[in-house]
PDB file of all heavy atoms in Angstrom:
ATOM      1  N   GLU A 242     136.522  18.609 127.830  1.00  0.00           N
ATOM      2  CA  GLU A 242     136.688  20.023 127.413  1.00  0.00           C
ATOM      3  C   GLU A 242     137.510  20.076 126.074  1.00  0.00           C
ATOM      4  O   GLU A 242     137.218  20.790 125.132  1.00  0.00           O
ATOM      5  CB  GLU A 242     137.340  20.841 128.409  1.00  0.00           C
ATOM      6  CG  GLU A 242     136.490  21.046 129.686  1.00  0.00           C
ATOM      7  CD  GLU A 242     137.208  21.827 130.745  1.00  0.00           C
ATOM      8  OE1 GLU A 242     138.523  22.056 130.601  1.00  0.00           O
ATOM      9  OE2 GLU A 242     136.432  22.339 131.633  1.00  0.00           O
ATOM     10  N   ILE A 245     135.463  18.954 123.236  1.00  0.00           N
ATOM     11  CA  ILE A 245     134.477  19.995 122.703  1.00  0.00           C
ATOM     12  C   ILE A 245     135.195  20.998 121.866  1.00  0.00           C
ATOM     13  O   ILE A 245     134.659  21.452 120.821  1.00  0.00           O
ATOM     14  CB  ILE A 245     133.729  20.657 124.047  1.00  0.00           C
ATOM     15  CG1 ILE A 245     132.985  19.669 124.635  1.00  0.00           C
ATOM     16  CG2 ILE A 245     132.953  21.945 123.610  1.00  0.00           C
ATOM     17  CD1 ILE A 245     132.222  20.111 125.948  1.00  0.00           C
ATOM     18  N   LEU A 246     136.303  21.455 122.290  1.00  0.00           N
ATOM     19  CA  LEU A 246     137.042  22.608 121.664  1.00  0.00           C
ATOM     20  C   LEU A 246     137.522  22.067 120.172  1.00  0.00           C
ATOM     21  O   LEU A 246     137.468  22.792 119.226  1.00  0.00           O
ATOM     22  CB  LEU A 246     138.314  23.011 122.408  1.00  0.00           C
ATOM     23  CG  LEU A 246     138.010  23.668 123.765  1.00  0.00           C
ATOM     24  CD1 LEU A 246     139.273  23.990 124.514  1.00  0.00           C
ATOM     25  CD2 LEU A 246     137.199  24.989 123.537  1.00  0.00           C
ATOM     26  N   ILE A 249     134.547  22.023 117.907  1.00  0.00           N
ATOM     27  CA  ILE A 249     134.154  23.464 117.434  1.00  0.00           C
ATOM     28  C   ILE A 249     135.184  23.984 116.400  1.00  0.00           C
ATOM     29  O   ILE A 249     134.663  24.508 115.365  1.00  0.00           O
ATOM     30  CB  ILE A 249     134.234  24.393 118.663  1.00  0.00           C
ATOM     31  CG1 ILE A 249     133.026  24.019 119.766  1.00  0.00           C
ATOM     32  CG2 ILE A 249     133.992  25.882 118.297  1.00  0.00           C
ATOM     33  CD1 ILE A 249     133.110  24.738 120.958  1.00  0.00           C
ATOM     34  N   PHE A 262     125.925  20.028 120.410  1.00  0.00           N
ATOM     35  CA  PHE A 262     126.484  18.991 121.224  1.00  0.00           C
ATOM     36  C   PHE A 262     125.237  18.272 121.966  1.00  0.00           C
ATOM     37  O   PHE A 262     124.186  18.788 122.196  1.00  0.00           O
ATOM     38  CB  PHE A 262     127.407  19.480 122.333  1.00  0.00           C
ATOM     39  CG  PHE A 262     128.754  19.923 121.693  1.00  0.00           C
ATOM     40  CD1 PHE A 262     128.907  21.309 121.263  1.00  0.00           C
ATOM     41  CD2 PHE A 262     129.850  19.091 121.534  1.00  0.00           C
ATOM     42  CE1 PHE A 262     130.128  21.710 120.763  1.00  0.00           C
ATOM     43  CE2 PHE A 262     130.942  19.627 120.890  1.00  0.00           C
ATOM     44  CZ  PHE A 262     131.177  20.832 120.468  1.00  0.00           C
ATOM     45  N   TYR A 267     128.733  18.869 128.462  1.00  0.00           N
ATOM     46  CA  TYR A 267     129.442  19.380 129.564  1.00  0.00           C
ATOM     47  C   TYR A 267     128.755  19.029 130.860  1.00  0.00           C
ATOM     48  O   TYR A 267     127.757  19.512 131.208  1.00  0.00           O
ATOM     49  CB  TYR A 267     129.717  20.931 129.459  1.00  0.00           C
ATOM     50  CG  TYR A 267     130.823  21.427 130.262  1.00  0.00           C
ATOM     51  CD1 TYR A 267     132.034  21.199 129.808  1.00  0.00           C
ATOM     52  CD2 TYR A 267     130.554  22.146 131.628  1.00  0.00           C
ATOM     53  CE1 TYR A 267     133.083  21.747 130.663  1.00  0.00           C
ATOM     54  CE2 TYR A 267     131.585  22.469 132.251  1.00  0.00           C
ATOM     55  CZ  TYR A 267     132.936  22.303 131.803  1.00  0.00           C
ATOM     56  OH  TYR A 267     133.948  22.802 132.634  1.00  0.00           O
ATOM     57  N   LEU A 271     127.714  24.470 133.935  1.00  0.00           N
ATOM     58  CA  LEU A 271     128.623  25.304 133.033  1.00  0.00           C
ATOM     59  C   LEU A 271     128.774  26.827 133.630  1.00  0.00           C
ATOM     60  O   LEU A 271     129.753  27.301 133.486  1.00  0.00           O
ATOM     61  CB  LEU A 271     128.064  25.295 131.575  1.00  0.00           C
ATOM     62  CG  LEU A 271     128.821  26.015 130.608  1.00  0.00           C
ATOM     63  CD1 LEU A 271     130.292  25.588 130.535  1.00  0.00           C
ATOM     64  CD2 LEU A 271     128.032  25.808 129.324  1.00  0.00           C
ATOM     65  N   PRO A 275     134.984  27.961 134.498  1.00  0.00           N
ATOM     66  CA  PRO A 275     135.771  28.963 133.685  1.00  0.00           C
ATOM     67  C   PRO A 275     135.642  28.643 132.110  1.00  0.00           C
ATOM     68  O   PRO A 275     135.941  29.352 131.269  1.00  0.00           O
ATOM     69  CB  PRO A 275     137.242  28.708 134.126  1.00  0.00           C
ATOM     70  CG  PRO A 275     137.163  27.941 135.366  1.00  0.00           C
ATOM     71  CD  PRO A 275     135.828  27.231 135.481  1.00  0.00           C
ATOM     72  N   PHE A 276     135.185  27.371 131.959  1.00  0.00           N
ATOM     73  CA  PHE A 276     134.884  26.977 130.430  1.00  0.00           C
ATOM     74  C   PHE A 276     133.861  27.711 129.780  1.00  0.00           C
ATOM     75  O   PHE A 276     133.984  27.815 128.557  1.00  0.00           O
ATOM     76  CB  PHE A 276     134.542  25.489 130.390  1.00  0.00           C
ATOM     77  CG  PHE A 276     134.778  24.817 129.024  1.00  0.00           C
ATOM     78  CD1 PHE A 276     136.055  24.733 128.539  1.00  0.00           C
ATOM     79  CD2 PHE A 276     133.664  24.328 128.455  1.00  0.00           C
ATOM     80  CE1 PHE A 276     136.100  24.097 127.174  1.00  0.00           C
ATOM     81  CE2 PHE A 276     133.765  23.718 127.110  1.00  0.00           C
ATOM     82  CZ  PHE A 276     134.970  23.658 126.573  1.00  0.00           C
ATOM     83  N   LYS A 277     133.016  28.293 130.511  1.00  0.00           N
ATOM     84  CA  LYS A 277     131.932  29.200 129.919  1.00  0.00           C
ATOM     85  C   LYS A 277     132.626  30.322 129.149  1.00  0.00           C
ATOM     86  O   LYS A 277     132.044  30.640 128.037  1.00  0.00           O
ATOM     87  CB  LYS A 277     130.977  29.559 130.958  1.00  0.00           C
ATOM     88  CG  LYS A 277     129.878  30.466 130.544  1.00  0.00           C
ATOM     89  CD  LYS A 277     128.954  31.038 131.595  1.00  0.00           C
ATOM     90  CE  LYS A 277     127.802  31.871 131.036  1.00  0.00           C
ATOM     91  NZ  LYS A 277     127.036  32.442 132.044  1.00  0.00           N
ATOM     92  N   ALA A 278     133.543  30.916 129.735  1.00  0.00           N
ATOM     93  CA  ALA A 278     134.179  32.117 129.023  1.00  0.00           C
ATOM     94  C   ALA A 278     134.837  31.658 127.704  1.00  0.00           C
ATOM     95  O   ALA A 278     134.715  32.420 126.773  1.00  0.00           O
ATOM     96  CB  ALA A 278     135.122  32.795 130.068  1.00  0.00           C
ATOM     97  N   LYS A 279     135.371  30.425 127.589  1.00  0.00           N
ATOM     98  CA  LYS A 279     136.010  29.924 126.462  1.00  0.00           C
ATOM     99  C   LYS A 279     134.870  29.876 125.343  1.00  0.00           C
ATOM    100  O   LYS A 279     135.104  30.185 124.146  1.00  0.00           O
ATOM    101  CB  LYS A 279     136.674  28.702 126.666  1.00  0.00           C
ATOM    102  CG  LYS A 279     137.857  28.681 127.566  1.00  0.00           C
ATOM    103  CD  LYS A 279     138.552  27.387 127.602  1.00  0.00           C
ATOM    104  CE  LYS A 279     139.849  27.506 128.426  1.00  0.00           C
ATOM    105  NZ  LYS A 279     140.571  26.117 128.486  1.00  0.00           N
ATOM    106  N   LEU A 280     133.813  29.305 125.672  1.00  0.00           N
ATOM    107  CA  LEU A 280     132.724  29.158 124.731  1.00  0.00           C
ATOM    108  C   LEU A 280     132.178  30.463 124.268  1.00  0.00           C
ATOM    109  O   LEU A 280     131.740  30.651 123.071  1.00  0.00           O
ATOM    110  CB  LEU A 280     131.533  28.232 125.348  1.00  0.00           C
ATOM    111  CG  LEU A 280     131.937  26.801 125.645  1.00  0.00           C
ATOM    112  CD1 LEU A 280     130.795  26.069 126.314  1.00  0.00           C
ATOM    113  CD2 LEU A 280     132.466  26.137 124.419  1.00  0.00           C
ATOM    114  N   GLU A 281     131.972  31.444 125.199  1.00  0.00           N
ATOM    115  CA  GLU A 281     131.586  32.752 124.831  1.00  0.00           C
ATOM    116  C   GLU A 281     132.477  33.427 123.816  1.00  0.00           C
ATOM    117  O   GLU A 281     132.086  34.065 122.772  1.00  0.00           O
ATOM    118  CB  GLU A 281     131.539  33.633 126.140  1.00  0.00           C
ATOM    119  CG  GLU A 281     130.235  33.246 127.031  1.00  0.00           C
ATOM    120  CD  GLU A 281     130.271  34.089 128.284  1.00  0.00           C
ATOM    121  OE1 GLU A 281     131.396  34.605 128.693  1.00  0.00           O
ATOM    122  OE2 GLU A 281     129.217  34.241 128.879  1.00  0.00           O
ATOM    123  N   ASP A 282     133.812  33.276 124.079  1.00  0.00           N
ATOM    124  CA  ASP A 282     134.751  33.840 123.067  1.00  0.00           C
ATOM    125  C   ASP A 282     134.665  33.133 121.721  1.00  0.00           C
ATOM    126  O   ASP A 282     134.664  33.790 120.643  1.00  0.00           O
ATOM    127  CB  ASP A 282     136.174  33.600 123.566  1.00  0.00           C
ATOM    128  CG  ASP A 282     136.540  34.575 124.820  1.00  0.00           C
ATOM    129  OD1 ASP A 282     135.839  35.572 124.928  1.00  0.00           O
ATOM    130  OD2 ASP A 282     137.488  34.253 125.549  1.00  0.00           O
ATOM    131  N   LEU A 283     134.535  31.818 121.581  1.00  0.00           N
ATOM    132  CA  LEU A 283     134.491  31.113 120.335  1.00  0.00           C
ATOM    133  C   LEU A 283     133.206  31.325 119.757  1.00  0.00           C
ATOM    134  O   LEU A 283     133.107  31.321 118.495  1.00  0.00           O
ATOM    135  CB  LEU A 283     134.570  29.511 120.652  1.00  0.00           C
ATOM    136  CG  LEU A 283     135.962  29.088 121.106  1.00  0.00           C
ATOM    137  CD1 LEU A 283     135.801  27.678 121.606  1.00  0.00           C
ATOM    138  CD2 LEU A 283     136.927  29.214 120.014  1.00  0.00           C
ATOM    139  N   SER A 284     132.087  31.830 120.440  1.00  0.00           N
ATOM    140  CA  SER A 284     130.760  31.964 119.892  1.00  0.00           C
ATOM    141  C   SER A 284     130.832  33.257 118.934  1.00  0.00           C
ATOM    142  O   SER A 284     129.830  33.639 118.245  1.00  0.00           O
ATOM    143  CB  SER A 284     129.735  32.114 120.873  1.00  0.00           C
ATOM    144  OG  SER A 284     129.792  33.365 121.656  1.00  0.00           O
ATOM    145  N   ASP A 285     131.899  34.056 118.897  1.00  0.00           N
ATOM    146  CA  ASP A 285     131.999  35.097 117.963  1.00  0.00           C
ATOM    147  C   ASP A 285     132.013  34.679 116.442  1.00  0.00           C
ATOM    148  O   ASP A 285     131.466  35.415 115.529  1.00  0.00           O
ATOM    149  CB  ASP A 285     133.360  35.893 118.144  1.00  0.00           C
ATOM    150  CG  ASP A 285     133.201  37.006 119.092  1.00  0.00           C
ATOM    151  OD1 ASP A 285     132.055  37.556 119.292  1.00  0.00           O
ATOM    152  OD2 ASP A 285     134.162  37.470 119.631  1.00  0.00           O
ATOM    153  N   ILE A 287     131.112  31.191 115.634  1.00  0.00           N
ATOM    154  CA  ILE A 287     130.147  30.027 115.336  1.00  0.00           C
ATOM    155  C   ILE A 287     129.301  29.962 116.636  1.00  0.00           C
ATOM    156  O   ILE A 287     129.754  30.136 117.693  1.00  0.00           O
ATOM    157  CB  ILE A 287     130.937  28.669 115.216  1.00  0.00           C
ATOM    158  CG1 ILE A 287     129.886  27.596 114.785  1.00  0.00           C
ATOM    159  CG2 ILE A 287     131.758  28.373 116.418  1.00  0.00           C
ATOM    160  CD1 ILE A 287     130.649  26.294 114.328  1.00  0.00           C
ATOM    161  N   ILE A 289     127.003  27.949 119.402  1.00  0.00           N
ATOM    162  CA  ILE A 289     127.351  26.753 120.031  1.00  0.00           C
ATOM    163  C   ILE A 289     126.126  26.333 120.856  1.00  0.00           C
ATOM    164  O   ILE A 289     125.731  27.271 121.804  1.00  0.00           O
ATOM    165  CB  ILE A 289     128.522  26.883 120.929  1.00  0.00           C
ATOM    166  CG1 ILE A 289     129.781  27.354 120.085  1.00  0.00           C
ATOM    167  CG2 ILE A 289     128.782  25.511 121.698  1.00  0.00           C
ATOM    168  CD1 ILE A 289     130.966  27.772 120.851  1.00  0.00           C
ATOM    169  N   ILE A 291     124.864  23.589 123.484  1.00  0.00           N
ATOM    170  CA  ILE A 291     125.413  22.566 124.257  1.00  0.00           C
ATOM    171  C   ILE A 291     124.545  22.075 125.418  1.00  0.00           C
ATOM    172  O   ILE A 291     123.912  22.930 126.158  1.00  0.00           O
ATOM    173  CB  ILE A 291     126.806  22.864 124.662  1.00  0.00           C
ATOM    174  CG1 ILE A 291     127.539  21.725 125.371  1.00  0.00           C
ATOM    175  CG2 ILE A 291     126.803  24.070 125.681  1.00  0.00           C
ATOM    176  CD1 ILE A 291     129.118  21.978 125.591  1.00  0.00           C
ATOM    177  N   PHE A 306     122.411  25.433 126.566  1.00  0.00           N
ATOM    178  CA  PHE A 306     122.923  26.764 126.448  1.00  0.00           C
ATOM    179  C   PHE A 306     123.159  27.047 125.055  1.00  0.00           C
ATOM    180  O   PHE A 306     123.857  26.247 124.382  1.00  0.00           O
ATOM    181  CB  PHE A 306     124.195  26.802 127.339  1.00  0.00           C
ATOM    182  CG  PHE A 306     124.028  27.043 128.738  1.00  0.00           C
ATOM    183  CD1 PHE A 306     123.178  26.233 129.438  1.00  0.00           C
ATOM    184  CD2 PHE A 306     124.563  28.092 129.494  1.00  0.00           C
ATOM    185  CE1 PHE A 306     123.010  26.357 130.923  1.00  0.00           C
ATOM    186  CE2 PHE A 306     124.483  28.240 130.884  1.00  0.00           C
ATOM    187  CZ  PHE A 306     123.688  27.443 131.484  1.00  0.00           C
ATOM    188  N   PHE A 308     125.255  29.656 122.861  1.00  0.00           N
ATOM    189  CA  PHE A 308     126.192  30.820 122.729  1.00  0.00           C
ATOM    190  C   PHE A 308     126.308  31.325 121.473  1.00  0.00           C
ATOM    191  O   PHE A 308     126.346  30.587 120.474  1.00  0.00           O
ATOM    192  CB  PHE A 308     127.568  30.303 123.233  1.00  0.00           C
ATOM    193  CG  PHE A 308     127.634  29.823 124.625  1.00  0.00           C
ATOM    194  CD1 PHE A 308     127.417  28.559 124.997  1.00  0.00           C
ATOM    195  CD2 PHE A 308     128.080  30.715 125.575  1.00  0.00           C
ATOM    196  CE1 PHE A 308     127.538  28.135 126.271  1.00  0.00           C
ATOM    197  CE2 PHE A 308     128.181  30.342 126.934  1.00  0.00           C
ATOM    198  CZ  PHE A 308     127.912  28.917 127.247  1.00  0.00           C
ATOM    199  N   SER A 309     126.089  32.689 121.356  1.00  0.00           N
ATOM    200  CA  SER A 309     126.239  33.428 120.014  1.00  0.00           C
ATOM    201  C   SER A 309     126.583  34.840 120.226  1.00  0.00           C
ATOM    202  O   SER A 309     125.873  35.438 120.925  1.00  0.00           O
ATOM    203  CB  SER A 309     124.763  33.277 119.251  1.00  0.00           C
ATOM    204  OG  SER A 309     124.958  33.837 118.096  1.00  0.00           O
ATOM    205  N   LYS A 310     127.741  35.090 119.551  1.00  0.00           N
ATOM    206  CA  LYS A 310     128.209  36.533 119.679  1.00  0.00           C
ATOM    207  C   LYS A 310     128.412  36.910 121.189  1.00  0.00           C
ATOM    208  O   LYS A 310     127.937  37.991 121.510  1.00  0.00           O
ATOM    209  CB  LYS A 310     127.302  37.527 118.859  1.00  0.00           C
ATOM    210  CG  LYS A 310     126.913  37.281 117.471  1.00  0.00           C
ATOM    211  CD  LYS A 310     128.050  37.209 116.606  1.00  0.00           C
ATOM    212  CE  LYS A 310     127.638  36.925 115.189  1.00  0.00           C
ATOM    213  NZ  LYS A 310     128.980  36.623 114.264  1.00  0.00           N
ATOM    214  N   LYS A 311     128.800  35.975 121.987  1.00  0.00           N
ATOM    215  CA  LYS A 311     129.108  36.245 123.286  1.00  0.00           C
ATOM    216  C   LYS A 311     127.820  36.488 124.226  1.00  0.00           C
ATOM    217  O   LYS A 311     127.935  36.748 125.408  1.00  0.00           O
ATOM    218  CB  LYS A 311     129.932  37.355 123.592  1.00  0.00           C
ATOM    219  CG  LYS A 311     131.442  37.222 122.992  1.00  0.00           C
ATOM    220  CD  LYS A 311     132.394  38.268 123.419  1.00  0.00           C
ATOM    221  CE  LYS A 311     133.838  37.912 122.777  1.00  0.00           C
ATOM    222  NZ  LYS A 311     134.876  38.978 123.068  1.00  0.00           N
ATOM    223  N   SER A 312     126.663  36.264 123.594  1.00  0.00           N
ATOM    224  CA  SER A 312     125.431  36.228 124.438  1.00  0.00           C
ATOM    225  C   SER A 312     125.035  34.772 124.651  1.00  0.00           C
ATOM    226  O   SER A 312     125.365  34.014 123.927  1.00  0.00           O
ATOM    227  CB  SER A 312     124.397  37.036 123.774  1.00  0.00           C
ATOM    228  OG  SER A 312     123.968  36.355 122.563  1.00  0.00           O
TER     229      SER A 312
END
Side-chain angles (χ1 to χ4, degrees):
E242 292 181 348
I245 290 172
L246 295 176
I249 292 172
F262 289 93
Y267 195 73
L271 181 57
F276 194 65
K277 181 183 177 184
K279 291 184 180 180
L280 295 180
E281 287 175 339
D282 289 338
L283 290 169
S284 71
D285 267 341
I287 184 172
I289 303 163
I291 188 167
F306 280 52
F308 294 89
S309 177
K310 307 298 182 185
K311 295 188 178 180
S312 66

